[in-house]
Amino acid sequence: MPQFYRIFQAVLLTMSIIEGNGENINIWHHSNVLGSLNPSLFPAGVEATSLAAPSTDPTKPKLPEQFTAILNFSVKNPAGGGFLPVYKPGSVLYYDADHSRQLVEFKYDAEGGFSMNLTQYTFSNSSYILINEVCRDNGFGQAKFGDMWGFLLSPATQYKGKMKIGDAECDIWNLVVPNITNITLYNSGNVPKRFQVETKASSGLPGMNSTTGFETVTYDFTTVNVGMPPASKFEVPASCSTKDPPLCDGAGVQTIDMVVAQPAYAISKYNVSNQDTADWLGDVYFTCLDVLSNHTESDQYSVISHFKVQVDTRYGPYSLCNGYPGQCWGTSNYAVGREAAMGVLPYGGQCTPNDSIGNWFSLPDAGRCQKASDVVGKDCTWRIVERMRTVTIDCVFHQQGMLDACRADGGPPYAKSLSIFKQALTARAGSPAACPDVPPPAEAD
């Protein structure tokens, strides 16, 4: 899974955790109520320290509990690195605290100029993310609705003075929980003008070493219409609730080339169960983006492996899989998942060829053939036929010049990069264009 998706999932989790799960938390030393912050954010015994508010402070605002807002949304993750999408102006927030639900609609451009539509649904006991009509459960049960303005209930929330945003003079309210979160509201009367949340976030693959920094999410409200949003907006697509996602018709069983960036053998064991792979162009799209965004090191990717994989082509929706052992996020737990690189096409490109952008695949462990006698398409959905070659990223990107080619190509179809990439992994061993194989250690055979 590319860093873009990992950051984006973390951002939406951050939004939902801060915006709520409806549970008030008691910080033992001060008995402060911190509104809708999720208890999982706070280690035992953490103090939410604050100076007493001056007696001249204004009364805390009473912000609307039901409204529709047009806003500009932005994310900064300076410590995490990686590719961050630039969101288009005019995101829409439908907020209904009376019924414990909210909906946010975003638009952004992916690499190559593809327009992306994203919708986040959050309810009292569930949350979903819909990207180009592909739905995934959001947050493994952690992202639940709660009062967006709950932090104002805390005695630790301080008044910080005034600031103008546009033509509006705003009061500033701030809650700091040291080393965990920093929440700031700018309000004009009882109308929000800016809401900003800085939260500690980790960068790196699940189950592996990661770096920790702070991620900042900002809402700039341009218009706020008070009143209950249309109930129809909160109707979740059927694809979000089904446990049996629709599959492609398929073209039988095929043996195809799959490529995957991985950590060294000591971590990855060159295992692709519960991992995301790609075809040639799809992996060029990913590796160019990952290396150019300086995120390969934090992912601990050091090699690229080429496999021949036999698959049942009745593809399901693509799952986002990461870490060692792998963890997958999606609805396709048995069928091989597929989408166009970055999911940029309608329905993610699940059942289309995607030749101009490349394909990404997800290989669920539950679908892997376990016995030599297992038949793909009958007993299982995929099996490794052969590991063809594993090479170092350093050889491909630096010795063979793919880094410069990625910069020169500037985006899909990555003609120069694709040629270098394929030659490095398929050219005759010992030829100038080839990178040497990095086999498993002898004791692993």
Side-chain angles (χ1 to χ4, degrees):
M1 184 194 343
Q3 171 66 3
F4 156 75
Y5 273 130
R6 287 195 300 278
I7 288 179
F8 199 55
Q9 182 188 14
V11 167
L12 293 176
L13 278 170
T14 298
M15 290 165 54
S16 296
I17 288 170
I18 297 301
E19 292 167 12
N21 75 355
E23 298 180 21
N24 293 331
I25 14 185
N26 185 298
I27 302 301
W28 294 107
H29 298 288
H30 293 291
S31 296
N32 289 331
V33 175
L34 299 180
S36 61
L37 295 178
N38 189 314
S40 65
L41 285 174
F42 297 88
V46 166
E47 296 189 23
T49 57
S50 171
L51 297 175
S55 59
T56 56
D57 285 356
T59 303
K60 290 179 180 178
K62 294 183 179 179
L63 298 179
E65 294 297 314
Q66 292 181 316
F67 62 88
T68 301
I70 308 298
L71 53 87
N72 296 329
F73 177 78
S74 61
V75 182
K76 291 183 179 179
N77 189 299
F83 168 69
L84 286 173
V86 177
Y87 298 92
K88 295 181 179 179
S91 297
V92 185
L93 168 62
Y94 301 92
Y95 185 80
D96 184 5
D98 288 356
H99 296 88
S100 300
R101 59 190 182 181
Q102 76 168 27
L103 171 74
V104 193
E105 297 174 337
F106 306 94
K107 291 183 182 295
Y108 60 92
D109 287 332
E111 182 80 8
F114 293 93
S115 182
M116 304 289 286
N117 298 298
L118 184 144
T119 303
Q120 182 203 16
Y121 299 83
T122 307
F123 303 97
S124 58
N125 291 305
S126 60
S127 183
Y128 303 95
I129 298 174
L130 191 71
I131 303 177
N132 280 11
E133 296 91 22
V134 177
C135 191
R136 297 180 179 95
D137 182 87
N138 176 29
F140 308 98
Q142 298 178 48
K144 299 177 183 179
F145 180 85
D147 188 350
M148 188 172 184
W149 317 121
F151 79 100
L152 290 168
L153 299 175
S154 171
T157 298
Q158 300 181 34
Y159 180 65
K160 292 292 187 179
K162 294 182 178 291
M163 187 180 88
K164 288 199 74 172
I165 297 180
D167 295 329
E169 186 175 81
C170 299
D171 291 316
I172 306 172
W173 297 93
N174 175 251
L175 172 65
V176 176
V177 181
N179 296 316
I180 296 177
T181 193
N182 184 339
I183 306 173
T184 307
L185 169 69
Y186 304 79
N187 62 287
S188 177
N190 291 323
V191 177
K193 300 300 291 183
R194 177 175 293 164
F195 184 58
Q196 194 166 59
V197 180
E198 183 182 75
T199 303
K200 182 179 286 188
S202 295
S203 174
L205 299 179
M208 298 169 60
N209 295 332
S210 61
T211 57
T212 300
F214 281 86
E215 187 170 73
T216 303
V217 178
T218 302
Y219 304 77
D220 279 311
F221 294 83
T222 58
T223 62
V224 178
N225 296 316
V226 177
M228 189 174 81
S232 60
K233 280 291 180 180
F234 300 99
E235 295 175 1
V236 177
S239 60
C240 293
S241 56
T242 179
K243 293 184 178 180
D244 297 306
L247 305 181
C248 305
D249 292 338
V253 175
Q254 297 180 359
T255 298
I256 61 178
D257 293 291
M258 288 191 185
V259 195
V260 58
Q262 297 180 301
Y265 182 84
I267 296 173
S268 68
K269 304 296 189 289
Y270 298 165
N271 181 24
V272 293
S273 287
N274 281 353
Q275 296 296 318
D276 291 334
T277 65
D279 62 14
W280 292 110
L281 180 55
D283 211 55
V284 168
Y285 192 118
F286 168 69
T287 53
C288 278
L289 198 61
D290 202 61
V291 173
L292 289 175
S293 61
N294 298 315
H295 207 265
T296 305
E297 184 176 349
S298 62
D299 284 339
Q300 299 180 54
Y301 292 145
S302 61
V303 298
I304 298 170
S305 296
H306 170 210
F307 295 90
K308 294 285 186 181
V309 185
Q310 191 179 51
V311 299
D312 181 344
T313 60
R314 291 174 292 181
Y315 297 115
Y318 176 78
S319 294
L320 308 178
C321 301
N322 262 303
Y324 294 89
Q327 303 172 31
C328 291
W329 176 39
T331 57
S332 188
N333 299 318
Y334 181 71
V336 174
R338 181 175 74 167
E339 73 173 12
M342 292 290 278
V344 297
L345 299 181
Y347 297 96
Q350 176 186 340
C351 299
T352 49
N354 310 322
D355 293 336
S356 65
I357 192 71
N359 286 286
W360 289 352
F361 304 97
S362 53
L363 300 177
D365 185 64
R368 184 171 188 167
C369 299
Q370 299 299 319
K371 299 179 294 185
S373 59
D374 285 344
V375 177
V376 174
K378 178 183 177 183
D379 305 307
C380 49
T381 59
W382 65 276
R383 67 151 39 93
I384 295 293
V385 176
E386 185 178 1
R387 182 189 67 85
M388 305 300 293
R389 186 181 297 176
T390 299
V391 303
T392 66
I393 287 178
D394 180 71
C395 178
V396 179
F397 276 83
H398 299 288
Q399 297 175 38
Q400 297 296 345
M402 186 169 161
L403 181 60
D404 290 337
C406 289
R407 293 191 179 112
D409 284 334
Y414 290 109
K416 294 179 181 178
S417 306
L418 180 60
S419 176
I420 293 171
F421 191 68
K422 290 184 74 171
Q423 286 292 308
L425 284 150
T426 63
R428 179 178 53 82
S431 68
C435 286
D437 187 32
V438 184
E443 61 269 20
D445 293 338

